[in-house]
Amino acid sequence: MKIVKGNCGLCQGGCGVLAYIEDGRMVKVEGDPDFPTNHGILCPKGLASTQLVYSPDRLKYPLKRLGERGEGKWARITWDEALDTIAARLKEIRAKYGPLSVAGSCGTGRPLIHHDRRFLNILGTPNRLNSSHICYMPMLGAGIITFGRFPSSDFRNTRCILNWGSNVTHTRRMGMGLQLIDAWKRGAKLITVDPLLTPLASKSDIWLQLRPGTDCALALAWLNVIIKENLYDQEFVSRWTHGFDRLAAHVEPFTPEWAEPITWVPADKIRQAARLYATTSPATLYPGVSVEFGPNTTGTIRALLFLPALTGNIDVPGGNVLWQDAIPMGTLYSMEEKPATWDNALGDYPLLNRMLPTAGHAGWRAVLTDQRYPLKALLFHANNAIVGHENSQNFVYKAIMKLEFLSVMDLFMTPTAELADIVLPASTPYERDNIFTPNAEKNYVPPAIIAAPKVVEPLWESRDDGEVFIDILKRLGLDYGAETVKERLDQLCLKSAAGVKWEEFAKTGYASYPQSFRKYESGGLRPDGKPGFSTPSGKVELYSSELEKLEIDPLPLHKEPPESPVSQPELAKTYPLVLTTGIRSPVYYHTQYRHIPWLREIDPEPRIRIHPETAEKYGIRDGDWTYIESPRGKCKQRAMVTLGIDPRVVMADASWWLPEKATREERAWEVNINNLTDSEPPHDPGFGSTSGRSLLCKIYKAKE
Amino acid sequence: MTKWTIAADPELCFDCKACEVACKQEHNLPVGPRWIQVVTVGPRMVGGKLKVDFVPKMCVHCANPPCAEACPVDAIQRREDGIVLIDEKLCNGCLACLPACPFAVISFDPDTQRASKCNLCVDRIEQGLQPACVKHCEAGALFAGDANTVAQEMRKERAQRSGV
Ligand code: SF4
Ligand code: SF4
Ligand code: SF4
C-alpha cells in the first residue's frame, strides 16, 4: 500500500487528500493534514470518493445513438469514431449556419472551465449554456462594478459574521465552512439571514427569517439604520466612496418599518441585527448563492456589498478583503483571447456578457426560436441541464429535442446524456491532472492555486475532457495552443502564484501570494498604481455611473418578486404558497452523487419543508409524498414537517433526479424542482438572472 | 491505564454527516449498518428561541455494557482499555443485543449476518490515530480518548465559545 497526495475534485473545494493506493487501486482517502485549506478534514462527498471512482454505473466507453433521440438505444464505438463523428457534424453545421451555431458548456465550472472557455473561444463562439447568470457571475460582477474586485470574506480574523443566505457548513467549498466554524468557536458573533432554520441559523446570535426574494428590501433597511444612526465609518465613507449623499437620500424612506411588511422580518429585529453588525469590528459579510437566483441580482448584491463599504470593513483583516488573484481571471478563463463574435453573445445582459456569457435560458430560447442566429449543436461536458436548468420539462427538454447535434461527456448516463447523439466517458478528478483555482472564487482568503494530480490511471476508456477538447480541435484543423493537457497546465501554472511548470508545482500542490490589506491606500488595486479603487470614480461606487449608462438602476431598489402573493394576487388564489427551491444536501453537489450508496443512504429522497399548520391545512403528514405545482409544472418530494419554515412558505430540495427509475419521466422529472422554476422574463437587466428562489405554488398529498 | 470513550457535543455539530461516511469508509460497511448516525432533534422552542439540534449517536462503550450481558454466547466483551467489541467469530447473529442497548446503536450487517457496531476504530487507536469520524468532523464536535480527558476537552471547547 502506498499513500499519495491528491486533491478531491468532488466539489469546487480543492481539499487536500491522502489517497491509499493498493495495486493501482484507490482503496481509501483521508484528508491531508498538511494541506492549508482543509487541515486533514474531508466532507462526506470526499470521503465517498472510492465509491465514485469505482462506481459500476459509470460510463465506460464512448457510445453513439441508435434509433430516435432519447430512445435509449446505443452502440459502443471507439474513441476515434466518436471524435471523428463529432468533428464531422461540427464541420457540417458550422459550414451551414456559421460558427455561432455551435455552443458548449461545462456544468459547475470547476476546473474544466479553463479548458472549456478556451475551447469555445477557438471555435469562435461566446456562448456557454450554463448557470453563471444565477451562480457566481452576479456576485463577482456586482463586486467589480462597486469596488473593481470582489470583496471576499475573511473569517479567519473576524469578530462578526453576517451569513446572508448561505449554508456553507453543508456546502463547504474552499474550506470556508471550516473557517466559519472556527471563527464561531472563537466566539465571533453570527447573524444569519435565511427563510429556513438551517444549522447555522439555529446557532446564530440573531436569525432573520425573511420572505424569499426580499433580500434587497432587507438590505436597504439595514443601510437606512446604519446611516440614520450614524453607525457608518465617516472617514472611510468621505474619503473612499462615491455617491454617499445620494445613497443616504435614497434609503431615507426605507426604514425597518417600511421593510417589515415586505420582508416579514420585525422592524426591531432588523435594527438589532444591523446594529450588532455595524458595531462589532471587524465584521464580515458572507453572501450565499441564494441572492443570485432572482430577477434583481444587480441591485440586491450591491445593496449587500454596501454594508461592508459603509462600516469600514473593506480590505481590512476580518472584514471583506479585495481579491488578489493567484492567477489572473482573464488568463484562467481565456478572457484575454475573446473571439471576435463575443459581443454577439446570446441574451442582452451587459454585465454577464462582459464576463462569462451566456445564460443557459438565453441559449435554450435561441434553439427554440432561431432568434438572432440559429443554434444547432451543443457540446456538453459535466452539464446535466435537464436536471439543473430552470423550467426543465417544458423548456430545456423541448430545446434539446430540437438540436441537430448534442454530445455529452460525463461520469454517468444522466438524463441529459440520455438525449445525446454521442456520449463520452469522463475520468474522475482522481484520474487526471488538473488545477483548482479557488482564488477565482468569490470567497477565499488568501487566494490560491491548487494542484490536483492524478493518483490512479483512468478506468475503462474514460478520458480527461481537456484531452478531448484538444483532439476535437485538431480534427477541425484548429489549434488549442497546447499539444497536451500538461502543456496547458504548464502555461497556466507559470502565469500564476505557482510560477513553475506543472510537474514541479504538483509536488507542492498549493501556492498563493501573501494576503495584503488596505490596498486602496497603497496603490495595489489600480492598473496605474495610484491609490484608490479600480472603478470609474476611483472610489467605491455607491452610485454607479456605469450602471446609469447601461440604463440599470444606479442605486439599488427593492423589486417585488414577479410571481408573489403581492405582485400576482389572482394567481395566488390558485397557487397560495411561496416556493423557494434552493436546499443543498451536505452529501450531494448539485445534480451529482445520487448513485453513491454511502451518500444516498444518508439522503435517500428529496424533501420539501412545510410548516405544521400548513401541512395540517392541506392534509399532509410528515413523510408523505407531496406534489408541488407551479404554473409551469409539478414534481413530488417527501414532506418534512418542521417549525423551521414560515407557514406561508415551502422550501424544496434542489437538483434531484432518480437514476434508478425505469422511465425518463420518473428519472428526470418526478422529483425535479426545476420543473417549477422559471426561465422567462423579467430577468435581471445586468446578469439575466431568473426567478428560482421566490415563486408561487400549491401543494397536495400524492398517492405514493 | 487509559479507559477509552467517545462522545459528541451536539452544541457543536452542524449536521454535515462527514462522520457517518468516514465511518462507512474506514470499516468498509455496506448500506444498512450505521455505527454513527446524526439524529435531528427539533426544531423546537428553547428559551423563546427556535432551535434545532443534531445529536451524533454511536456506541458509548459503557462501563457495564448491557449488550454484553444480553449476548447468549459472550461475543461482546469490554476490553481492559474500555473498548467494547463484538467478536464476529463468536457472534451467531441472534441479535439479542440489539434491544438491550439503551442507545439503540447496534445494527445488523446484511453482509456478515452479524451484529455490528462502533469499535472505536480500534486499529487506528492502536496506531496512535484518532477514530475516522473524529478526524473528519468539520466542527470538532466529536471527542475520543480517556474518559477524564474527554470531559475536560469538551468543557474547554464550550468555555472558549462562550468567551469565558
Ligand atoms: S468540500 Fe469539496 S473538495 Fe472538500 S472533501 Fe468535500 S467534495 Fe471534496
Ligand atoms: S452497544 Fe450500546 S450497550 Fe453496548 S456498549 Fe455500546 S452503547 Fe453500551
Ligand atoms: S462530522 Fe461533526 S459536525 Fe459533521 S455531522 Fe458528524 S459530528 Fe456533526
Side-chain angles (χ1 to χ4, degrees):
Chain A
M1 176 116 70
K2 70 181 188 215
I3 300 175
V4 295
K5 283 189 189 252
N7 202 281
C8 174
L10 271 66
C11 84
Q12 259 139 327
C15 293
V17 160
L18 296 179
Y20 290 64
I21 313 289
E22 211 174 75
D23 299 326
R25 190 181 164 97
M26 185 168 86
V27 294
K28 177 174 147 178
V29 297
E30 291 223 347
D32 177 356
D34 299 327
F35 206 75
T37 63
N38 60 313
H39 311 285
I41 293 174
L42 294 177
C43 87
K45 300 176 280 282
L47 288 162
S49 291
T50 56
Q51 285 200 336
L52 175 77
V53 175
Y54 301 100
S55 168
D57 299 323
R58 270 182 65 184
L59 288 166
K60 302 181 178 71
Y61 315 103
L63 301 171
K64 77 170 173 199
R65 162 164 79 82
L66 304 176
E68 295 301 308
R69 184 180 299 290
E71 210 184 308
K73 291 194 188 136
W74 304 98
R76 178 177 165 183
I77 54 173
T78 62
W79 267 103
D80 271 334
E81 184 181 344
L83 296 174
D84 288 345
T85 309
I86 293 173
R89 295 304 312 273
L90 291 189
K91 256 187 211 156
E92 186 190 313
I93 290 167
R94 279 157 56 93
K96 198 157 152 201
Y97 306 103
L100 286 169
S101 61
V102 177
S105 178
C106 61
T108 61
R110 273 186 276 179
L112 283 188
I113 191 174
H114 66 78
H115 285 306
D116 162 80
R117 187 57 267 172
R118 185 182 180 95
F119 170 74
L120 294 173
N121 283 351
I122 295 164
L123 274 182
T125 175
N127 297 315
R128 287 171 74 242
L129 272 57
N130 72 351
S131 297
S132 51
H133 60 296
I134 50 168
C135 179
Y136 178 43
M137 286 303 131
M139 199 68 86
L140 209 90
I144 293 174
I145 287 279
T146 311
F147 302 101
R149 299 186 188 191
F150 189 82
S152 312
S153 321
D154 181 8
F155 292 146
R156 292 173 204 216
N157 299 302
T158 201
R159 291 187 56 228
C160 177
I161 295 160
L162 173 52
N163 169 46
W164 198 297
S166 125
N167 196 6
V168 69
T169 49
H170 277 188
T171 53
R172 283 280 191 96
R173 47 210 301 260
M174 342 285 155
M176 286 308 276
L178 303 179
Q179 290 182 25
L180 188 151
I181 291 171
D182 265 358
W184 172 76
K185 284 169 81 172
R186 278 197 318 271
K189 299 284 179 221
L190 182 58
I191 304 167
T192 292
V193 178
D194 207 298
L196 182 74
L197 186 78
T198 59
L200 274 166
S202 179
K203 292 183 199 310
S204 288
D205 297 274
I206 302 180
W207 168 42
L208 303 184
Q209 187 177 27
L210 85 172
R211 172 165 69 105
T214 63
D215 303 72
C216 193
L218 188 59
L220 289 168
W222 280 54
L223 294 168
N224 172 288
V225 173
I226 288 168
I227 295 175
K228 203 176 272 169
E229 299 188 6
N230 266 318
L231 302 176
Y232 60 96
D233 181 332
Q234 304 197 355
E235 200 191 312
F236 181 87
V237 164
S238 65
R239 236 182 114 193
W240 297 112
T241 67
H242 168 74
F244 177 75
D245 292 344
R246 290 169 93 158
L247 176 69
H250 176 73
V251 300
E252 170 93 52
F254 304 138
T255 59
E257 284 69 22
W258 165 83
E260 179 172 321
I262 298 172
T263 61
W264 300 346
V265 182
D268 283 354
K269 236 177 164 175
I270 299 177
R271 281 207 174 81
Q272 194 196 345
R275 285 174 191 153
L276 179 64
Y277 167 79
T279 58
T280 315
S281 174
T284 190
L285 163 74
Y286 187 76
V289 74
S290 52
V291 297
E292 295 181 282
F293 202 173
N296 184 23
T297 45
T298 309
T300 303
I301 299 169
R302 272 174 40 81
L304 283 173
L305 295 178
F306 293 173
L307 296 170
L310 294 196
T311 51
N313 280 306
I314 286 298
D315 226 22
V316 297
N320 285 78
V321 180
L322 297 166
W323 266 6
Q324 294 158 273
D325 289 331
I327 174 168
M329 231 185 96
T331 308
L332 182 69
Y333 295 157
S334 299
M335 288 159 156
E336 291 149 0
E337 5 169 290
K338 292 177 181 173
T341 52
W342 194 272
D343 292 335
N344 208 357
L346 289 165
D348 296 311
Y349 311 120
L351 301 179
L352 182 71
N353 290 359
R354 280 183 193 187
M355 303 171 78
L356 290 176
T358 186
H361 63 81
W364 300 125
R365 207 166 292 111
V367 175
L368 285 168
T369 60
D370 279 343
Q371 265 173 18
R372 282 272 272 287
Y373 42 82
L375 182 53
K376 299 291 183 189
L378 289 177
L379 304 169
F380 268 15
H381 290 254
N383 185 339
N384 190 1
I386 282 285
V387 181
H389 285 195
E390 310 92 308
N391 204 351
S392 170
Q393 199 163 6
N394 289 317
F395 183 63
V396 182
Y397 175 64
K398 284 185 182 152
I400 289 188
M401 293 305 281
K402 222 190 135 209
L403 288 170
E404 288 190 15
F405 182 74
L406 172 68
S407 79
V408 174
M409 182 154 177
D410 214 315
L411 294 170
F412 296 96
M413 185 61 91
T414 64
T416 308
E418 281 176 27
L419 302 175
D421 297 272
I422 298 283
V423 175
L424 303 173
S427 52
T428 64
Y430 292 99
E431 303 161 86
R432 56 170 79 186
D433 289 323
N434 216 332
I435 50 165
F436 291 83
T437 48
N439 67 298
E441 301 296 340
K442 61 180 184 283
N443 298 309
Y444 195 81
V445 179
I449 173 167
I450 287 171
K454 174 161 90 175
V455 299
V456 285
E457 287 306 315
L459 282 146
W460 304 291
E461 287 185 14
S462 69
R463 294 186 70 191
D464 178 343
D465 302 68
E467 291 171 9
V468 171
F469 290 131
I470 294 173
D471 285 356
I472 293 173
L473 289 177
K474 264 193 200 146
R475 282 172 165 78
L476 293 171
L478 298 168
D479 181 10
Y480 187 65
E483 280 292 308
T484 60
V485 167
K486 280 210 171 99
E487 195 184 329
R488 176 67 182 145
L489 295 179
D490 284 346
Q491 295 166 356
L492 292 172
C493 291
L494 281 168
K495 286 186 191 157
S496 75
V500 290
K501 286 191 171 182
W502 161 255
E503 298 277 358
E504 192 59 33
F505 177 49
K507 287 183 207 149
T508 54
Y510 186 92
S512 66
Y513 298 117
Q515 186 65 58
S516 59
F517 300 101
R518 294 194 173 83
K519 298 181 280 292
Y520 52 88
E521 284 175 351
S522 61
L525 294 176
R526 296 169 56 88
D528 61 13
K530 290 201 182 122
F533 293 80
S534 188
T535 57
S537 62
K539 296 182 174 180
V540 176
E541 300 246 324
L542 302 175
Y543 186 91
S544 169
S545 48
E546 249 181 306
L547 291 181
E548 191 174 29
K549 265 189 235 135
L550 295 168
E551 294 178 21
I552 298 173
D553 304 319
L555 287 167
L557 274 172
H558 162 64
K559 306 225 166 101
E560 179 58 31
E563 190 177 295
S564 85
V566 180
S567 58
Q568 301 217 40
E570 269 310 303
L571 192 69
K573 286 181 187 155
T574 320
Y575 302 100
L577 294 168
V578 173
L579 168 69
T580 185
T581 62
I583 299 183
R584 300 298 198 272
S585 163
V587 299
Y588 300 129
Y589 193 55
H590 297 293
T591 70
Q592 295 187 68
Y593 311 140
R594 271 77 180 175
H595 295 84
I596 310 300
W598 287 334
L599 303 181
R600 192 70 185 273
E601 183 180 20
I602 290 172
D603 203 348
E605 286 158 344
R607 288 171 300 173
I608 173 136
R609 279 74 175 163
I610 308 171
H611 190 275
E613 280 169 27
T614 313
E616 202 193 318
K617 187 167 163 194
Y618 295 100
I620 292 165
R621 276 168 319 182
D622 191 59
D624 281 349
W625 278 111
T626 303
Y627 273 112
I628 316 146
E629 192 173 324
S630 83
R632 287 154 299 280
K634 66 175 184 179
C635 76
K636 63 178 189 184
Q637 300 195 346
R638 285 262 191 217
M640 183 179 178
V641 176
T642 170
L643 286 170
I645 190 92
D646 188 284
R648 296 160 284 186
V649 179
V650 291
M651 191 163 185
D653 267 2
S655 314
W656 265 91
W657 61 292
L658 302 172
E660 66 279 5
K661 292 283 184 172
T663 67
R664 166 153 46 251
E665 184 70 31
E666 297 168 303
R667 276 191 302 273
W669 295 305
E670 191 171 80
V671 298
N672 180 358
I673 201 69
N674 274 326
N675 269 351
L676 287 78
T677 51
D678 201 1
S679 52
E680 295 311 295
H683 299 139
D684 180 75
F687 296 101
S689 323
T690 43
S691 295
R693 296 294 177 100
S694 175
L695 300 161
L696 287 174
C697 77
K698 62 178 174 188
I699 57 172
Y700 47 97
K701 192 172 145 80
K703 284 204 190 71
E704 237 336 277
Chain B
M1 164 174 209
T2 312
K3 292 279 186 227
W4 279 89
T5 191
I6 180 162
D9 183 349
E11 286 285 310
L12 294 179
C13 174
F14 283 81
D15 195 30
C16 80
K17 315 284 195 197
C19 49
E20 293 196 20
V21 184
C23 176
K24 287 274 182 178
Q25 181 188 230
E26 185 66 29
H27 304 290
N28 206 5
L29 295 175
V31 168
R34 295 171 85 165
W35 291 4
I36 179 165
Q37 186 166 5
V38 184
V39 180
T40 304
V41 179
R44 63 206 194 292
M45 292 304 275
V46 183
K49 221 182 135 190
L50 199 59
K51 221 175 152 259
V52 56
D53 283 306
F54 308 100
V55 185
K57 279 179 51 188
M58 72 305 255
C59 171
V60 297
H61 299 268
C62 302
N64 297 302
C67 58
E69 205 105 321
C71 177
V73 295
D74 284 341
I76 308 182
Q77 300 279 346
R78 183 168 187 260
R79 309 196 321 176
E80 274 287 278
D81 61 2
I83 302 178
V84 178
L85 292 181
I86 304 178
D87 187 331
E88 236 187 52
K89 287 190 219 82
L90 293 179
C91 174
N92 61 13
C94 76
L95 304 187
C97 55
L98 251 75
C101 169
F103 305 101
V105 291
I106 307 182
S107 328
F108 174 68
D109 184 326
D111 286 2
T112 61
Q113 298 281 309
R114 298 284 179 270
S116 147
K117 70 162 193 72
C118 161
N119 66 7
L120 239 161
C121 284
V122 61
D123 294 344
R124 294 178 64 104
I125 285 180
E126 279 165 6
Q127 290 170 53
L129 300 170
Q130 289 172 311
C133 58
V134 177
K135 171 174 163 71
H136 286 105
C137 176
E138 67 172 346
L142 299 172
F143 302 82
D146 185 67
N148 294 320
T149 7
V150 161
Q152 257 172 23
E153 261 182 68
M154 288 174 78
R155 270 198 303 274
K156 225 170 67 196
E157 278 285 357
R158 284 209 176 190
Q160 184 198 18
R161 201 158 30 88
S162 49
V164 182

